[in-house]
Amino acid sequence: MSQAPTTASLWTNASLPDFPALARDIDVDVLVVGAGITGITTAYLLLQEGVQVALIDREKIACGDSARTTAHLTYVTDERLHQLVSRFGTDAARKFWEAGAIAIDTIERIVEEHGHDAEFVRVPGTLHARIGQEPSRKEIEALGKDAELAQSFGFDATFVESTVYGRMPGVRFAQQAKFHPRKYLDCLLTEIQQRGGLVFENTVMKSVEDGGPNLMTVRANKSRIRCKYLVIATHNPLMGKKGPLTASLFQTKLALYTSYVLGARLPLGTVPEGLYWDTHDPYEYLRIEERDNHQYAVFGGEDVKTGQERDAEAVFERLSQRLKELLPQAEIQRRWLGQVVETDDGMPYIGENEDREFIATGFAGNGYTLGTLGALMARDKFLGRGNPWCSLLAVNRSPFHGGTWRYVQENIDYPYYFLRDRLRRAEADSVDRVGQNEGRIVSHAGKKVAAYRDDAGQLTLLAPQCTHLKCLVKWNSADRTWDCPCHGSRFRPTGEVLSGPAEQPLQRLHE
């Protein structure tokens, strides 16, 4: 009998060092909040320049979405190249792609300099028509246009009539890459420690107070961090110095999607090593790596707005069936999900959103490349250096860069789910209907509550209103979380914040 797939990501086979929680007041030049790819890289780059840095995270270091990645390193963006040119112009599209290429080069240089085994390998990446569907003439022409534009920008891109995987028309991009993300982050953390950087986990930023023209005080846990500059490198930006209204307005420019992922063993020679993704929306993606006596596939897709899937288990079932259809010999061993943040116009927001407060978000499917770019830009901003992407990716850029219609579409969700879930009946009329390792919205003492029972039978009752803008959360059975369908906040079964925009836990209720 085959075993059920583990729900931990492939990268959890590499451990990271433990760090203490902040329990004293400190003074630094720069405080970096959020210890994923963006935050850790920012701290590393600043320390190389002799800057005093503290890095904090409300949970374990690098255990958020940076640990749930699929580890594609590519400058090819989710927004197709011909669409970027049409929307932003030739120069802007070229700059955006060049930024991704420089980010990959930066990762490669760091690995080479420190000799750490992060399993970095240059591989081709292939964009192809969806397998199993006859591509239209228009779709083939669009692929050809992408190849021509990429070539004109100096990228090694080739249109192919039949790809090595799936035998479909596509574009092959040379010199993309893959690596082991947690081994890479371990490399950076080692360098941070050796250069005197301060790292604290289980440390929650609670408030930011201006203390003058070149000083601010951040309250975290029960301590104070005095700093000159603040980098908010959380997946979804924390409120920081912004008030609740302006922070919520910025959030309306972001859309949070959950992507479902499978890890599977394949026989040697099944698919050439590389990265593959298709033109469908949402797209399917495949990462193939060589092992000693087999290949390993990371396959995903089925992206859906966080909290809006009807049945998360059914999503994994569909994805598993699709993988078996494409690669019948696949032996599925793992499954996990991650969250991606998309913007209203297809480009990330990287830059200052307040004086001496820097944010980076909206990386879509290019988390590690654009996260690295965000770190490069944060370093340059603090040091007063010019940077070619400042105006293009500015947080306060001119309205939406043509993304107005998408902005309207994404924000229809808030009033819809806010009203719908209040009118719907509870899923059960008693907490006794909640099984072990299960969460449900139930009717209890005359009102709806979010009820969770752990594997020991212990019951936790929570107010079901998301602490961001009060939409009702929904149980995600695949990841055992409470997810908000309006703006994508996620909470642990017992109510603690897993990812924003919410910053406060779900309210605990007494039985």
Side-chain angles (χ1 to χ4, degrees):
M1 182 181 293
S2 61
Q3 292 184 331
T6 179
T7 56
S9 85
L10 178 62
W11 321 117
T12 53
N13 62 357
S15 61
L16 293 174
D18 293 322
F19 296 94
L22 180 65
R24 58 188 171 90
D25 294 347
I26 58 174
D27 293 81
V28 292
D29 295 325
V30 179
L31 171 63
V32 181
V33 181
I37 176 60
T38 309
I40 292 174
T41 309
T42 299
Y44 164 83
L45 293 173
L46 287 170
L47 284 160
Q48 279 199 316
E49 302 284 344
V51 178
Q52 292 179 305
V53 180
L55 172 67
I56 67 173
D57 197 284
R58 66 182 164 204
E59 302 215 0
K60 286 280 294 176
I61 296 295
C63 285
D65 283 287
S66 288
R68 294 164 171 259
T69 178
T70 56
H72 287 60
L73 294 177
T74 177
Y75 55 71
V76 183
T77 54
D78 282 6
E79 290 288 323
R80 298 281 294 279
L81 186 53
H82 68 274
Q83 294 170 335
L84 289 173
V85 169
S86 175
R87 182 177 300 168
F88 302 105
T90 301
D91 289 344
R94 180 193 290 112
K95 272 187 179 180
F96 193 24
W97 273 41
E98 286 173 347
I102 288 170
I104 298 172
D105 290 345
T106 299
I107 293 170
E108 184 175 34
R109 175 183 57 78
I110 290 171
V111 171
E112 289 175 349
E113 284 182 359
H114 302 299
H116 197 278
D117 182 21
E119 301 175 17
F120 182 95
V121 180
R122 289 280 186 173
V123 295
T126 303
L127 170 68
H128 57 85
R130 185 172 177 84
I131 299 171
Q133 294 182 3
E134 186 67 27
S136 67
R137 180 177 177 179
K138 183 178 180 181
E139 185 174 7
I140 295 172
E141 289 175 349
L143 286 164
K145 188 173 183 180
D146 283 341
E148 290 176 8
L149 284 168
Q151 290 167 7
S152 72
F153 292 169
F155 297 102
D156 188 347
T158 307
F159 174 79
V160 291
E161 293 184 358
S162 180
T163 58
V164 293
Y165 163 63
R167 305 301 175 189
M168 302 298 291
V171 185
R172 184 181 187 274
F173 299 93
Q175 292 297 298
Q176 309 307 295
K178 63 182 186 63
F179 70 158
H180 193 301
R182 277 172 65 94
K183 289 183 179 180
Y184 175 72
L185 294 178
D186 184 40
C187 163
L188 293 180
L189 288 166
T190 298
E191 290 298 312
I192 288 170
Q193 289 177 292
Q194 290 178 352
R195 290 179 179 270
L198 302 175
V199 184
F200 302 96
E201 55 194 17
N202 299 314
T203 299
V204 180
M205 182 179 84
K206 295 183 177 179
S207 66
V208 183
E209 303 165 6
D210 259 320
N214 199 32
L215 183 68
M216 65 184 84
T217 299
V218 176
R219 296 186 180 273
N221 290 358
K222 295 181 179 180
S223 303
R224 289 184 291 186
I225 305 169
R226 287 176 290 270
C227 59
K228 301 173 185 176
Y229 202 80
L230 175 63
V231 177
I232 297 180
T234 52
H235 188 56
N236 196 296
L238 299 175
M239 189 161 55
K241 291 198 285 184
K242 284 188 173 294
L245 178 59
T246 50
S248 295
L249 286 173
F250 177 74
Q251 179 62 36
T252 65
K253 297 182 180 182
L254 306 176
L256 280 66
Y257 284 79
T258 299
S259 191
Y260 290 75
V261 189
L262 300 174
R265 181 185 173 112
L266 293 170
L268 284 172
T270 303
V271 182
E273 187 173 36
L275 312 175
Y276 306 87
W277 61 100
D278 69 23
T279 57
H280 198 254
D281 184 19
Y283 61 87
E284 293 176 346
Y285 48 84
L286 176 69
R287 177 190 192 271
I288 297 290
E289 67 176 57
E290 300 291 343
R291 300 282 180 88
D292 289 340
N293 58 0
H294 65 281
Q295 290 184 319
Y296 204 87
V298 174
F299 177 75
E302 289 283 347
D303 295 11
V304 63
K305 253 190 152 178
T306 298
Q308 295 184 17
E309 56 275 271
R310 291 181 179 275
D311 183 344
E313 294 288 346
V315 178
F316 272 123
E317 279 298 316
R318 290 196 303 271
L319 196 63
S320 299
Q321 290 171 10
R322 177 65 173 167
L323 178 57
K324 287 291 188 179
E325 175 188 327
L326 297 171
L327 300 171
Q329 293 178 292
E331 178 188 336
I332 298 172
Q333 298 179 333
R334 292 178 180 269
R335 68 178 203 180
W336 70 92
L337 53 82
Q339 194 178 55
V340 297
V341 183
E342 299 187 359
T343 67
D344 48 24
D345 63 11
M347 284 207 187
Y349 291 106
I350 303 176
E352 286 191 342
N353 66 332
E354 291 285 338
D355 180 43
R356 295 176 291 119
E357 180 176 284
F358 191 99
I359 67 170
T361 189
F363 303 154
N366 296 80
Y368 267 77
T369 49
L370 294 181
T372 301
L373 174 67
L376 290 166
M377 293 176 65
R379 176 202 63 187
D380 291 349
K381 187 66 177 178
F382 175 73
L383 295 174
R385 297 174 180 170
N387 189 287
W389 305 289
C390 284
S391 60
L392 179 66
L393 306 179
V395 177
N396 62 348
R397 57 186 179 246
S398 179
F400 317 131
H401 275 332
T404 307
W405 175 237
R406 182 171 183 180
Y407 175 86
V408 172
Q409 285 182 307
E410 295 289 2
N411 283 282
I412 290 174
D413 293 335
Y414 175 59
Y416 172 73
Y417 282 96
F418 185 88
L419 292 172
R420 188 202 71 165
D421 290 345
R422 278 164 171 74
L423 297 174
R424 292 180 66 174
R425 292 174 59 86
E427 298 170 339
D429 57 8
S430 169
V431 295
D432 295 337
R433 300 284 299 277
V434 180
Q436 289 187 341
N437 289 318
E438 182 181 42
R440 284 191 176 193
I441 302 296
V442 304
S443 179
H444 178 72
K447 59 184 179 181
K448 291 179 182 178
V449 302
Y452 166 72
R453 194 182 303 277
D454 64 20
D455 54 8
Q458 179 67 41
L459 185 68
T460 299
L461 299 182
L462 304 164
Q465 293 83 12
C466 174
T467 55
H468 177 227
L469 289 178
K470 305 302 181 183
C471 289
L472 299 193
V473 296
K474 178 183 176 183
W475 179 249
N476 182 330
S477 60
D479 212 32
R480 292 204 298 170
T481 57
W482 296 107
D483 297 351
C484 175
C486 291
H487 296 105
S489 299
R490 306 186 71 219
F491 303 85
R492 295 197 180 281
T494 47
E496 299 83 2
V497 177
L498 182 60
S499 63
E503 299 186 26
Q504 300 300 319
L506 297 176
Q507 181 188 351
R508 286 263 188 151
L509 303 175
H510 300 291
E511 290 189 47

